[in-house]
Amino acid sequence: MEKVFLNDKLVNIEDARIPAGDSGFLYGAGLFETMRGQNGIVFRLNDHLDRILNSAKVLSITHSFSKDYLADAVGDVLDANKLADARLRLTLSAGSISQSQDKPNATLLITATNLQPYPQEYYSKGVLVVLASTRQNISDPACGHKTTSYLSRMLELKQAHAKRAAEALWFTTDGRLAEGCISNVFLVKESCLFTPALTTPVLPGIARKTVCELATANKIELVEKNLSIDDLLSADEVFLTNVIMQVMPVVGIEKHAVGDGKPGAITGQIQNYYIEFFKKCCGQKNEG
């Protein structure tokens, strides 16, 4: 039976209960991390925990959970469910709206399920993306944080899937390329790698960070800057990143073909570097 970690202990998933007054449920006042594990190891766990703890501080989501506590809880869930390849989610809500600031009662829920990978043809042939009809509001204080207020993203993604696209790309209210509903975006132009700056703002994705580090380590020129629709449509290559999809090539934007309509060479290099790094991080579980 699937086990989850709720607040302070492992419980059977069917026994997990969250209070009706929880502000994450009532108002979307919460944060989450989607993580990928293999061989009992979570890829870049420290980065995930740093991100959610930083967001909690910025958005005044008070809690009593330390980084070590969260790391141990993630490990407990992974061990309890005995998954070789796992998709994990850590959700941290603000708890009851009537809570005392001196005694926070935030809700912590960690789940782990068997990883369902994307179809292999998405990587070998590339995917289609569309442009989101909604704009990213740069004055929204939650922008750039992975909050549980995700309905607009899910609606845009559902519409993209109805058009047989894998993702929808968002632009800001002032016309800059931002990110996908569930991904960060990279462009390649004349062998140089471009991605929207974090100050756009966009989510500081863990896979995004990994790609940036790998590009720099392998002497691929990387530029983080404001990007426009013209930059997107004139790119030689486009790819998406998140920790579940890793590096996914884009070969079409609406009716526009990217490059020659096939996954590009730089994208292929980045894919290989990423897979190698992932295996290095999660190749085998540490003993002792």
Side-chain angles (χ1 to χ4, degrees):
M1 184 176 293
E2 182 180 342
K3 300 282 189 179
V4 303
F5 192 95
L6 181 60
N7 293 328
D8 59 359
K9 61 184 176 181
L10 286 167
V11 298
N12 293 330
I13 189 168
E14 62 187 28
D15 296 326
R17 300 288 185 270
I18 294 173
D22 188 272
S23 57
F25 172 72
L26 294 176
Y27 306 111
L31 300 162
F32 75 101
E33 292 289 323
T34 301
M35 301 172 286
R36 183 166 180 168
Q38 189 173 82
N39 300 317
I41 300 170
V42 177
F43 179 69
R44 303 201 76 153
L45 177 59
N46 281 334
D47 291 296
H48 281 289
L49 298 182
D50 285 341
R51 183 171 67 178
I52 198 168
L53 290 173
N54 177 68
S55 290
K57 182 177 181 180
V58 172
L59 298 178
S60 299
I61 295 177
T62 57
H63 62 90
S64 59
F65 305 113
S66 69
K67 184 176 178 180
D68 286 344
Y69 182 90
L70 294 177
D72 288 343
V74 169
D76 289 345
V77 172
L78 207 51
D79 289 342
N81 289 286
K82 298 179 173 60
L83 299 171
D85 296 295
R87 178 190 183 109
L88 300 100
R89 173 165 166 147
L90 187 159
T91 305
L92 178 67
S93 84
S96 171
I97 58 174
S98 61
Q99 72 177 18
S100 166
Q101 293 300 309
D102 296 328
K103 295 182 179 180
N105 63 346
T107 298
L108 171 66
L109 176 65
I110 307 172
T111 62
T113 57
N114 191 48
L115 178 71
Q116 298 295 324
Y118 287 88
Q120 187 54 43
E121 67 178 15
Y122 282 21
Y123 300 93
S124 60
K125 296 182 179 179
V127 299
L128 169 70
V129 300
V130 295
L131 304 182
S133 59
T134 309
R135 292 298 181 102
Q136 190 154 304
N137 184 356
I138 60 176
S139 63
D140 183 347
C143 204
H145 300 278
K146 199 161 186 174
T147 74
T148 53
S149 298
Y150 233 60
L151 181 59
S152 58
R153 301 289 173 136
M154 293 298 94
L155 289 174
E156 288 288 350
L157 189 60
K158 182 178 180 180
Q159 292 175 19
H161 290 169
K163 298 176 182 177
R164 299 191 176 182
E167 177 65 294
L169 299 183
W170 287 64
F171 285 77
T172 62
T173 48
D174 57 358
R176 289 173 290 159
L177 176 64
E179 57 199 347
C181 299
I182 57 171
S183 64
N184 289 107
V185 58
F186 286 81
L187 316 180
V188 178
K189 184 70 175 180
E190 296 177 353
S191 298
C192 181
L193 194 59
F194 296 88
T195 195
L198 292 179
T199 53
T200 301
V202 298
L203 183 73
I206 306 306
R208 177 192 184 278
K209 178 180 180 179
T210 301
V211 167
C212 290
E213 292 174 352
L214 291 172
T216 300
N218 289 280
K219 297 181 171 52
I220 297 174
E221 185 178 358
L222 170 69
V223 178
E224 299 179 61
K225 58 176 287 189
N226 291 334
L227 298 168
S228 68
I229 183 66
D230 291 336
D231 293 317
L232 177 64
L233 296 179
S234 66
D236 301 323
E237 304 175 37
V238 177
F239 63 85
L240 309 172
T241 63
N242 71 33
V243 293
I244 302 300
M245 68 172 58
Q246 298 185 331
V247 177
M248 185 175 290
V250 173
V251 295
I253 303 165
E254 302 276 355
K255 296 182 180 180
H256 170 82
V258 177
D260 62 2
K262 299 177 181 178
I266 300 295
T267 301
Q269 291 178 36
I270 295 293
Q271 283 179 307
N272 290 335
Y273 294 144
Y274 192 105
I275 291 170
E276 289 175 6
F277 183 72
F278 180 83
K279 289 180 178 178
K280 180 179 179 181
C281 292
C282 301
Q284 60 184 21
K285 187 171 182 179
N286 294 328
E287 299 295 336

